Amino acid sequence: MEWKELFNKLPAAEKVRICETEAKRQYALKNFEVASQFRKLAEEAKQNASNN
């Protein structure tokens, strides 16, 4: 099973946690563009969680 399939099966709250953690890690590594993308993914996951 691919990581994308596993990720998509996670509950929304877990997706948010993972994306926020990875955004912080990327920011610490000074990968600001990647960190920004993970922040956006976290926001989308939060919105999806509140809509469901």
Side-chain angles (χ1 to χ4, degrees):
M1 188 176 285
E2 223 176 278
W3 72 266
K4 289 180 183 179
E5 294 173 36
L6 291 171
F7 185 78
N8 287 333
K9 291 182 180 183
L10 292 173
E14 189 65 17
K15 289 179 187 178
V16 170
R17 187 189 67 77
I18 289 169
C19 289
E20 288 178 341
T21 301
E22 187 60 21
K24 290 175 187 174
R25 190 177 81 80
Q26 291 298 329
Y27 184 79
L29 295 171
K30 304 213 183 307
N31 293 332
F32 302 116
E33 184 63 34
V34 175
S36 175
Q37 292 171 359
F38 275 105
R39 289 258 184 243
K40 288 178 187 173
L41 287 173
E43 287 301 315
E44 288 174 14
K46 283 180 188 177
Q47 289 176 351
N48 289 339
S50 66
N51 290 337
N52 292 336

